[in-house]
Amino acid sequence: MMDNNRLDALLGGAAEAGKVPGVVAMAADADGVTYTGAFGERELGGGDAMTEDTVFLLASMTKAVGATAAMQLVEQGELTLDGAASELLPELAEIRVLDGFEGDQPRLRRPRSTVTLRNLLTHTSGFGYEIWNADLARYQEQKGIPSILSGQRAALRVPLMSDPGTRWEYGTGIDWVGRLVEAASGQRLGDYFREHIFEPLGMTDTAFTMSDDARARLATIHARTPDGRLAPHPLVLEQDPEQQMAGHGLYGTAGDYLRFTRAILNNGELDGQRILQAKTVDLMRQNHIGDLEVPAIESIDPTLSNNVELYPGMSKKWGLSFLINTEETPEGRAAGSVAWAGLANSYYWIDHDKGVTGVYFTQILPFFDPESAPLFQAFEQAVYNGQ
């Protein structure tokens, strides 16, 4: 039986000690929710307590939702994993590979392979992020291309950093997946998500655009200063973006996201509502990058991300939007489980073998925070120890 008092002490103690401004964490097994807890403040000194219905920026936890939408359309025959994605989005055929610079001039060439939906879902398309790729950041600055966080469609018009299928690099591929979902469905992305994922699962507080009620429950993002203190940060994504980004744009609650991970844990179904076929969930959990590896990720923007290396020494693979650990983790997660995270230090995992899933939310920059990341790991370990 889950030791809720131990989890309360762990998370509440971290908030009380000032390691995080506030935290919401939840866990579930195949039978239902096993733990919920909310501690600390939505904003340091702001007076509002962190609650289980607090709204967070999901950031890259949006990616699994975008992948789910795409795989629904694969099931229907509207999208294919291995056909040229440019058949639906002709602008993809115009994108070139950045092959370095000659002086100040970027050197571009045609890609040697074609971008597919599978490439986009597995971060093998060649697209990168300016946070972790210096050449891409340099190109964007030279060409006046806005940040991907701007919500502008022009932010997607960047070159590939490698030929599709040749390298794993974390990037904007799933934002292009969102474009494919829109093209195949004829719906705006948020409308598709709401009709086909959120409403069936009862995810009433998750959207690209926050309602007034949700905005009133929003947790403030905090930035870690060089001396380790935390201070409020003004980041809030554009609420009426030109492009709703499938890679990072959603806001929602921990409870909503747990309903999503529970549906994946239960092979595509929750409370009688099926969003994916069981065989599709199984396919998404498999290694889709072959012999490629998920490497350590080195940051070039320490205000947004620290260097990230998950489970040093372990071979790590990637499914259709998920990180896959190939060995049992120190926390107890079974080999073959899936997981990922969001920029403001939110995390989730889904362990089919042991039948457990969990979500953890703080709102701290930069990513892989030295206090929040270990607290997530301690929370996960405590969940497994309490099973």
Side-chain angles (χ1 to χ4, degrees), residues 27-268:
D29 60 21
D31 296 323
V33 178
T34 57
Y35 176 77
T36 64
F39 306 92
E41 298 179 286
R42 291 177 180 162
E43 179 176 323
L44 286 175
D48 289 331
M50 194 71 86
T51 55
E52 292 177 8
D53 66 349
T54 294
V55 171
F56 298 90
L57 171 64
L58 300 188
S60 285
M61 290 170 71
T62 304
K63 288 178 168 64
V65 179
T68 296
M71 294 308 294
Q72 289 178 335
L73 293 165
V74 169
E75 290 179 347
Q76 297 165 27
E78 300 296 331
L79 291 175
T80 64
L81 282 171
D82 296 312
S86 59
E87 292 181 8
L88 272 179
L89 297 176
E91 60 263 46
L92 276 171
E94 303 169 8
I95 290 179
R96 300 295 181 255
V97 175
L98 178 61
D99 224 359
F101 292 82
E102 294 179 0
D104 289 333
Q105 294 302 309
R107 185 171 58 247
L108 299 171
R109 63 167 174 82
R110 288 183 177 275
R112 299 186 180 100
S113 47
T114 301
V115 173
T116 67
L117 174 58
R118 193 188 306 270
N119 294 147
L120 295 168
L121 289 170
T122 57
H123 299 291
T124 61
S125 62
F127 286 112
Y129 272 126
E130 71 254 36
I131 302 172
W132 294 288
N133 190 300
D135 283 348
L136 177 57
R138 180 181 177 185
Y139 182 91
Q140 288 187 236
E141 183 177 5
Q142 284 189 358
K143 302 296 183 181
I145 295 174
S147 164
I148 194 66
L149 297 178
S150 69
Q152 297 178 48
R153 191 165 289 177
L156 295 172
R157 301 292 297 197
V158 294
L160 305 177
M161 298 295 104
S162 58
D163 290 298
T166 62
R167 188 174 80 194
W168 188 93
E169 178 170 356
Y170 196 48
T172 58
I174 296 183
D175 294 311
W176 282 99
V177 170
R179 298 281 313 279
L180 285 169
V181 169
E182 290 182 328
S185 69
Q187 292 181 274
R188 196 171 190 210
L189 191 61
D191 294 334
Y192 183 94
F193 282 0
R194 183 178 63 255
E195 181 178 346
H196 298 281
I197 300 173
F198 300 154
E199 288 182 351
L201 294 183
M203 297 171 64
T204 57
D205 277 324
T206 304
F208 287 105
T209 301
M210 290 180 280
S211 66
D212 290 342
D213 176 60
R215 185 63 182 259
R217 292 180 277 126
L218 179 65
T220 298
I221 292 176
H222 292 73
R224 183 80 62 183
T225 60
D227 63 1
R229 293 182 300 108
L230 289 164
H233 188 285
L235 177 62
V236 177
L237 296 184
E238 170 62 48
Q239 290 295 285
D240 186 22
E242 179 183 14
Q243 178 64 50
Q244 294 174 329
M245 295 292 186
H248 67 264
L250 288 173
Y251 284 84
T253 62
D256 270 12
Y257 206 83
L258 187 69
R259 292 191 65 78
F260 174 74
T261 66
R262 288 175 63 202
I264 301 299
L265 181 69
N266 293 331
N267 298 311

